[in-house]
Amino acid sequence: MGVKETKTKIETASKNKERSAIPPSPNPGKAVPTMKLFLSKIREVLQAVLPIVAIVLLLHATLTPLTALQLERFLLGAFCIIAGLSIFLHGIDFSISMIGKAMGRTFSKTANLILLAGAGLALGFIISIAEPDLHILAGQVERLTAGTVSKWSIILVVSLGIAALLALGLIRIVRNIVLHKLLIGLYAVVFILALSASDEFLAIAFDASGATTGAMTVPFIMSMALGVTLLRKDNIAANTEGFGLIGVVSVGPIIAILLMDLFAAVSVTAPDTPINKLKTASLLAPFLEKIPIVAEEVLFALLPITLIFLLMQRYSFRLSRRNVSWIIYGLLLTYIGLFLFLLGAQGGFMEVGRTIGFNVASLDNKLYLLVISFVLGLVTVLAEPAVHVLTHQIEDITNGAVKRNAVKAVLSLGIGTAVALAMLRIIFPQIQLWHYLLPGYLIALTLTFFVPKIFVGIAFDSGGVASGPMTATFILSFVQGAASAMAEDNLLSESFGMIALVAMTPIIAVQVLGLIYKLRAERNNGNGIQNNSEKE
């Protein structure tokens, strides 16, 4: 395919993207398509959760038998997660995504950088507070620091980081700042701050980066990027510059947590309670205890974005009454789904994950721990809905030259390896997290000079989306359980860092694929994409 033909295709994609920036108008009379959408969400969630359930049942029957109560709590928690995540993802389509597109459409009408930056700050902070993966991680931090570092302090600090970098990322798109140069500058700041960071906060900071860009944040940010790219006069550039915003935003939590460690000087204390012991003999007790707490937290998380939407609708959006009704309906579904998801995760799902991690790590043969960790990473990434979207995206951009199955295979092996490396760090405490992160990110940043620029954006975006709900819940709990069985003085630092490795691996893997594609295209006299994507 020649340059002219490729340019035409990209311009057509840009026009389609501009039309898609206008919020859709769901037809309340079409109940069947709506039900089909919901059923598709259920299938996605089942693909993500059932592999974990199958592995737990296999381990229960072989290496690490669970008590009947533990197994019942796990299955009840899994049911709540499946129901909650399905409802949540369905509600997002009718609420957060539509609000994000409306925001993007509003931004596309103005080039005022002050207004754009202010909106990015406010919306980034508000939407991050509602991210379920961040709530899970912050709760884990609070539990493992025995309350020394509160859940809401982590949520607020991380949300500030998201807000600042979202504003910067939006300005980058409008001002045509080269993505890889901005990323190198941001990670230079990260490495400087990391020099004086404690081991505990270094691990938490990089984990927060992967956990924050989840099911709530990603569709909203991508919708905003879609609208802001319409400010670009160059259709070809506009089609590619939207990629990379999630990658830029992902740096915000790292810098925010490292600054928190630098200026707050918080001393942390690990809990004394054994991690593999149940606190109560009642099946429903953990769930009933969490109901009022989770209900209040979810209400507090979703209330700001709801109020912002109503305010913008009055003064800017002017959406039809039908669209407003669907958005309110979607926000209600989002509340119910997020409530059930967090209730299931905190009530029994993560507790069993910690127990199994503890029991497997207590076995004499540590090879079991490495193999199970690798398999967990392998099957989890294969089932993540965001990974399916990413692989389709890459195949479309390369006109089929890079097959999605090849991308999935590389990502699966890479993330399986990342989880195994996290366990290796627990087995051998002398291995520090920065031993992985420093060379890994140096490789990732070096590759940005050699791969097609569109792959740079996709790669750093994929680092944010690869760590999904199952990574933030079960696998993180599994790692923490193993750390509690083996770690001595470094329980907190060894309990975190896994999400950081999972977020780093796709950045390298996707760029390597981009480099392979570039070399293959050059051998075939080029098919035009790298020439177009190299334009700054």
Side-chain angles (χ1 to χ4, degrees):
M1 181 181 293
V3 174
K4 184 176 180 180
E5 191 175 346
T6 303
K7 181 178 179 180
T8 302
K9 184 173 182 179
I10 294 178
E11 287 178 346
T12 302
S14 295
K15 291 177 182 178
N16 292 335
K17 182 174 69 173
E18 182 171 356
R19 286 194 293 267
S20 68
I22 301 174
S25 298
N27 189 341
K30 295 185 177 180
V32 175
T34 302
M35 182 56 65
K36 286 183 178 178
L37 288 173
F38 182 55
L39 291 176
S40 70
K41 298 300 180 185
I42 295 176
R43 284 194 296 270
E44 287 180 0
V45 173
L46 286 174
Q47 289 174 353
V49 179
L50 289 184
I52 301 294
V53 175
I55 291 174
V56 169
L57 294 177
L58 180 62
L59 291 173
H60 168 66
T62 54
L63 295 176
T64 58
L66 300 169
T67 66
L69 180 60
Q70 288 175 323
L71 191 59
E72 289 169 359
R73 281 187 187 171
F74 172 77
L75 294 176
L76 180 57
F79 175 79
C80 290
I81 283 179
I82 292 171
L85 199 53
S86 300
I87 296 171
F88 174 79
L89 293 174
H90 188 56
I92 288 291
D93 287 343
F94 293 100
S95 58
I96 302 302
S97 293
M98 288 183 67
I99 294 172
K101 287 180 181 179
M103 294 287 183
R105 185 183 61 175
T106 301
F107 293 153
S108 67
K109 297 177 181 177
T110 177
N112 189 320
L113 288 183
I114 296 177
L115 176 62
L116 191 64
L121 284 169
L123 295 173
F125 182 81
I126 289 170
I127 204 67
S128 179
I129 284 179
E131 175 56 54
D133 290 356
L134 177 57
H135 280 258
I136 294 293
L137 178 69
Q140 299 275 43
V141 172
E142 183 177 65
R143 186 184 61 83
L144 282 175
T145 59
T148 308
V149 181
S150 70
K151 174 180 177 177
W152 278 102
S153 67
I154 292 292
I155 290 175
L156 293 175
V157 168
V158 168
S159 296
L160 286 171
I162 288 286
L165 269 294
L166 178 57
L168 180 61
L170 294 175
I171 292 173
R172 179 199 75 82
I173 295 174
V174 176
R175 284 299 178 92
N176 194 21
I177 300 172
V178 180
L179 176 61
H180 74 276
K181 293 181 179 179
L182 176 61
L183 289 171
I184 288 172
L186 290 174
Y187 277 102
V189 173
V190 168
F191 291 144
I192 292 172
L193 291 174
L195 293 175
S196 58
S198 63
D199 292 341
E200 295 84 2
F201 275 90
L202 182 65
I204 293 170
F206 277 89
D207 274 4
S209 173
T212 305
T213 46
M216 177 76 78
T217 312
V218 168
F220 189 84
I221 290 176
M222 291 302 292
S223 297
M224 291 183 65
L226 188 67
V228 174
T229 54
L230 298 178
L231 295 171
R232 297 290 297 270
K233 303 301 182 183
D234 183 354
N235 281 335
I236 294 176
N239 192 54
T240 60
E241 289 300 327
F243 294 116
L245 182 58
I246 295 174
V248 172
V249 168
S250 297
V251 187
I254 305 176
I255 295 176
I257 294 293
L258 292 179
L259 287 174
M260 176 184 180
D261 181 39
L262 181 64
F263 292 108
V266 179
S267 59
V268 295
T269 306
D272 297 325
T273 305
I275 207 162
N276 66 327
K277 300 298 183 183
L278 296 177
K279 297 180 180 179
T280 175
S282 170
L283 170 64
L284 297 178
F287 297 90
L288 295 176
E289 289 174 3
K290 293 290 183 180
I291 285 177
I293 300 172
V294 173
E296 182 180 354
E297 287 181 347
V298 175
L299 178 63
F300 183 78
L302 291 179
L303 188 59
I305 189 64
T306 303
L307 295 177
I308 287 290
F309 163 68
L310 295 175
L311 187 65
M312 293 293 289
Q313 166 63 16
R314 180 175 178 84
Y315 295 104
S316 177
F317 292 165
R318 311 285 185 185
L319 299 177
S320 68
R321 182 175 298 179
R322 184 175 63 183
N323 271 354
V324 172
S325 298
W326 275 90
I327 289 175
I328 298 298
Y329 167 71
L331 287 170
L332 178 61
L333 290 181
T334 301
Y335 177 88
I336 295 171
L338 186 53
F339 169 77
L340 289 174
F341 171 78
L342 293 175
L343 183 66
Q346 297 178 21
F349 199 77
M350 293 191 301
E351 185 177 32
V352 169
R354 288 190 292 268
T355 300
I356 290 181
F358 184 95
N359 292 341
V360 173
S362 300
L363 298 174
D364 292 334
N365 190 346
K366 304 307 177 189
L367 184 60
Y368 285 122
L369 185 61
L370 294 177
V371 172
I372 292 171
S373 301
F374 178 81
V375 172
L376 281 172
L378 194 74
V379 301
T380 300
V381 70
L382 281 174
E384 290 288 0
V387 172
H388 287 273
V389 174
L390 173 69
T391 54
H392 278 295
Q393 206 173 48
I394 294 175
E395 190 172 61
D396 291 343
I397 288 169
T398 61
N399 298 316
V402 180
K403 302 298 182 183
R404 61 186 301 266
N405 287 335
V407 179
K408 288 169 65 177
V410 170
L411 289 178
S412 297
L413 291 172
I415 293 178
T417 302
V419 180
L421 287 174
M423 284 300 179
L424 196 64
R425 192 167 69 93
I426 294 173
I427 296 173
F428 300 102
Q430 59 269 31
I431 300 176
Q432 301 295 312
L433 181 60
W434 69 266
H435 293 162
Y436 295 140
L437 295 180
L438 181 60
Y441 276 100
L442 286 177
I443 292 171
L445 293 172
T446 301
L447 284 171
T448 63
F449 290 96
F450 302 100
V451 304
K453 296 301 177 283
I454 194 169
F455 277 94
V456 175
I458 295 174
F460 278 86
D461 280 356
S462 68
V465 304
S467 53
M470 291 303 98
T471 305
T473 54
F474 187 83
I475 298 183
L476 180 58
S477 299
F478 180 84
V479 171
Q480 291 175 353
S484 70
M486 302 186 63
E488 296 178 359
D489 297 331
N490 55 351
L491 171 61
L492 186 60
S493 61
E494 301 297 337
S495 295
F496 296 100
M498 180 274 297
I499 296 179
L501 298 178
V502 168
M504 179 185 71
T505 307
I507 301 176
I508 298 174
V510 173
Q511 288 192 98
V512 168
L513 283 175
L515 184 60
I516 293 171
Y517 172 76
K518 179 181 179 181
L519 296 175
R520 181 186 298 173
E522 288 175 351
R523 284 200 305 269
N524 296 329
N525 296 322
N527 68 358
I529 187 173
Q530 71 271 25
N531 295 324
N532 289 324
S533 62
E534 292 286 354
K535 292 184 179 182
E536 303 298 345

